[in-house]
Amino acid sequence: MAQITITLPDGAQREYEAGITGGEVAADISKSLGKQAIACTVDGQFRDLSRPIDADASLAIHTMKDEAQALELIRHDAAHIMARAVQEIWPDVKVTIGPVIANGWYYDFDRDEPFTPEDLDAIEKKMRDIIALRDPVRTETWERDRAIAHYEAADEPFKVELIHAIPEGEDLRMYWHGDWQDLCRGPHLVHTGQVPADAFKLTRVSGAYWRGDAKNKQLQRIYGVAFRTRQELKAHLQQVEEAAKRDHRRLAREMDLFHFQEEAPGMVFWHPNGWTVYRALEDYMRRRQTEDGYKEIRTPQIVDRKLWEASGHWDKYRENMFITEIDEEHANEKRVNALKPMNCPCHVQIYNQGLKSYRDLPLRLAEFGSCHRYEASGAMHGLMRVRGFVQDDAHIFCTEEQIEAECAKFIQLLSRVYKDLGFDDFRIMFSTRPEKRIGTDAEWDLTEGALEAAIKSIGMDYEVDPGEGAFYGPKLDFKLTDAIGREWQCGTFQVDSQLPDRLGAEYVGEDSDKHRPFMLHRAVLGSFERFIGILIENYAGKLPFWLAPRQVVVASIVSDADEFVSETVDMLRKQGIRAEADIRNEKINYKVREHSLGKVPVILVVGRQEVENGTVSMRRLGEKQSAVLSRDEAITSLATEALAPDLTTS
């Protein structure tokens, strides 16, 4: 039999007969590695240990120490084991699909009776029984006709439909976990016992339409989470519990910030308190951008489809756009417009007014641009995913030589803003060309090269995210980490040579010829709505003093203090502090509890003694002890604290 060369990650090479498996190579390297191995990567392809290697290849053996690969396999196998458990308990249940998702998996089932919490407990117990059996996992590739006949005989119509949807020529890979079998691309673990029996949990059941189409049958979807160890699972469940406490929708009710209603799905109704937070954040961002050389503009909400066709958005993004048709007076046909889903084409229109010289570049145009995008009703989630939102959007028109400096300048701005808002940690992802894109490969080579050179010149770490760029150019995405360890993608910086070309943007160069500028799309916060949701959850509603909608409540203990309370509120307001009086005929403990629930940062309590001494008793949110200060001292201190970070002199 022919010999092949296997190259290991450290560069070492070994000779084997063609057809050797990854598992056999692992065992040949060492007995311990053979026992610990769970999968392998062959020439960049993640594979089962049991699949033969027929030609020279690079090979990496994975164990449970390889977190990404281990979690992928554990969760994938757990999905299969759960489906097996369900069918062992209820043989008449039909199975469909069960992919890996963030932190776990789900599997969709066709069952007449709804799954109950008690059912989930029974499924978990059965899963542990299956894991304890250490049943081998094996795989085969089948011909299409054989697979269809198998599932027809097993009365699994959803699997038959899936096979018909798989393009001709693609392998149909079958997997067995013990005697239970499923259609799957793989890879999988070596045996069921490699799934940690104490590191998974079934979390909930929901409805789901077959293949995501509301016209199809509704199925039941069981979700689960899984990790490598019981400690990792415990940490995750604690984070989920903490996240529930911080849910911005619940806190919004307690703080009276905003609401949604069915007459305007995905659109925010901002209450006075919520709009106060919004305006404070917007004013802060406006000052930061002005300081950084941006010129603020405003563009229309509704734009003729002709512009979206010219920009390329009509072809690439139309399904997410809100379309309007208007019968123009004396027109022979209806005029088709769209609510803008993004601001970039409109910004080019402003750039195009008047001849630009290389001396005018870079030109930084910023807009708090209101956008609308269609999101499926099931995808919307409070402020985190809406249909109507505002971006802190800006576009920089520059030369190729200026990209590097503008990238560095933007990251400095973003870092400053994130730090001011309480986020010190963020990751940078460099996203490269997607499959669906506009422009030539040479143009993409140029823009990807320019962006990567820019990020390298700054000396910051970054990770490559292949194929996740915008359809018009590569980008950097900035993912910040919140107080409980969750990541949020907010900021973005994108290099675009396509849109200026499509929409006729030019500048006169030093050589007196006309050139196309590069267009840098950038946002720091992204959607204001989403970022405010992130802020609320990060701080568990206890927003920094300068952002808090209700900064100070001055509360009376007795009616004799009412006048002093009113005077104090007036003095606070003159210092720019958002203050209000509470002179209701209620016990002070009741007032403190109510305002604490509303996340008011400071409560100043005033009784007869405070009136006589010209003092206030200051109680801060979350603290049990109060501090007695002179009224003037308290107001001076709070006035400084109320300044936004960019306005402080420290």
Side-chain angles (χ1 to χ4, degrees), residues 45 161 212 217 247 352 563:
Q45 183 185 27
E161 186 175 334
K217 185 169 187 177
D247 190 313
N352 284 347
E563 184 177 347

Side-chain angles (χ1 to χ4, degrees), residues 335-349:
R335 183 168 185 171
V336 178
N337 300 290
L339 282 167
K340 65 177 179 181
M342 60 273 297
N343 303 292
C344 20
C346 293
H347 288 198
V348 179
Q349 306 315 301

Side-chain angles (χ1 to χ4, degrees), residues 274-533:
W275 193 241
T276 298
V277 177
Y278 190 106
R279 287 182 58 200
L281 187 61
E282 182 183 63
D283 290 344
Y284 164 78
M285 284 304 303
R286 178 173 284 114
R287 292 191 300 270
R288 281 298 192 200
Q289 290 184 158
T290 300
E291 176 186 53
D292 227 39
Y294 289 86
K295 298 179 180 179
E296 189 171 339
I297 59 176
R298 189 72 173 172
T299 59
Q301 286 293 290
I302 299 176
V303 181
D304 193 294
R305 67 177 285 179
K306 294 176 183 176
L307 181 61
W308 303 114
E309 288 174 338
S311 69
H313 290 93
W314 191 260
D315 289 333
K316 303 289 183 182
Y317 212 79
R318 179 172 48 186
E319 63 184 20
N320 297 105
M321 298 170 72
F322 286 97
I323 311 299
T324 66
E325 291 187 353
I326 301 172
D327 286 315
E328 295 277 10
E329 189 177 1
H330 307 304
N332 294 324
E333 58 183 23
K334 290 182 179 180
R335 183 168 185 171
V336 178
N337 300 290
L339 282 167
K340 65 177 179 181
M342 60 273 297
N343 303 292
C344 20
C346 293
H347 288 198
V348 179
Q349 306 315 301
I350 290 181
Y351 175 89
N352 284 347
Q353 298 302 301
L355 190 63
K356 299 295 187 298
S357 162
Y358 70 94
R359 295 187 181 90
D360 299 315
L361 306 182
L363 177 61
R364 307 181 189 99
L365 301 179
E367 178 179 12
F368 297 115
S370 182
C371 299
H372 291 80
R373 298 178 186 174
Y374 176 74
E375 298 282 358
S377 58
M380 292 185 289
H381 176 72
L383 294 180
M384 302 306 191
R385 195 151 186 179
V386 292
R387 289 178 177 175
F389 59 95
V390 172
Q391 289 180 307
D392 65 321
D393 209 359
H395 295 89
I396 304 166
F397 297 88
C398 67
T399 66
E400 181 182 349
E401 294 74 24
Q402 292 169 332
I403 293 174
E404 187 174 311
E406 288 303 307
C407 182
K409 186 176 179 66
F410 170 72
I411 293 177
Q412 289 171 356
L413 169 65
L414 176 138
S415 301
R416 191 160 56 242
V417 169
Y418 284 1
K419 186 174 183 179
D420 283 349
L421 295 172
F423 302 101
D424 293 327
D425 298 324
F426 62 85
R427 291 193 303 133
I428 303 176
M429 305 297 294
F430 173 43
S431 301
T432 58
R433 68 193 76 182
E435 286 187 20
K436 294 183 178 180
R437 59 184 183 267
I438 56 177
T440 65
D441 286 342
E443 290 169 326
W444 276 87
D445 290 342
L446 175 65
T447 52
E448 285 179 347
L451 187 54
E452 190 162 24
I455 188 63
K456 284 181 177 178
S457 72
I458 301 165
M460 295 189 72
D461 293 333
Y462 67 95
E463 301 170 47
V464 177
D465 198 2
E468 292 302 314
F471 73 87
Y472 47 74
K475 61 178 180 173
L476 301 178
D477 285 329
F478 299 83
K479 297 186 176 184
L480 55 81
T481 304
D482 71 7
I484 59 173
R486 297 174 300 182
E487 276 198 335
W488 303 91
Q489 194 274 304
C490 296
T492 189
F493 184 88
Q494 306 170 6
V495 179
D496 183 3
S497 63
Q498 301 299 319
L499 204 57
D501 187 54
R502 281 174 166 263
L503 299 181
E506 297 177 332
Y507 70 92
V508 177
E510 197 170 1
D511 57 3
S512 298
D513 287 338
K514 290 184 177 180
H515 303 270
R516 295 285 187 217
F518 282 83
M519 186 178 183
L520 310 179
H521 307 247
R522 49 110 295 184
V524 178
L525 307 183
S527 157
F528 265 84
E529 284 73 8
R530 181 169 176 269
F531 201 90
I532 289 173

Side-chain angles (χ1 to χ4, degrees), residues 201-219:
K201 183 174 180 57
L202 304 187
T203 56
R204 63 190 174 95
V205 181
S206 71
Y209 292 108
W210 169 234
R211 305 185 76 175
D213 189 338
K215 297 177 182 177
N216 290 336
K217 185 169 187 177
Q218 189 169 41
L219 307 171

Side-chain angles (χ1 to χ4, degrees), residues 1-6 8 13-20 24-26 28-29 59:
M1 186 174 287
Q3 293 289 109
I4 60 172
T5 300
I6 299 295
L8 301 175
Q13 293 186 328
R14 291 176 177 241
E15 300 291 324
Y16 295 102
E17 288 187 355
I20 193 168
E24 290 168 340
V25 174
D28 183 61
I29 293 172
L59 172 70

Side-chain angles (χ1 to χ4, degrees), residues 608-633:
R608 288 192 183 93
Q609 187 174 349
E610 284 79 14
V611 173
E612 290 173 5
N613 297 332
T615 60
V616 292
S617 180
M618 181 185 291
R619 181 167 182 152
R620 291 186 177 273
L621 183 62
E623 296 181 3
K624 294 182 178 179
Q625 301 299 319
S626 299
V628 177
L629 305 169
S630 73
R631 180 167 66 178
D632 289 345
E633 182 184 358

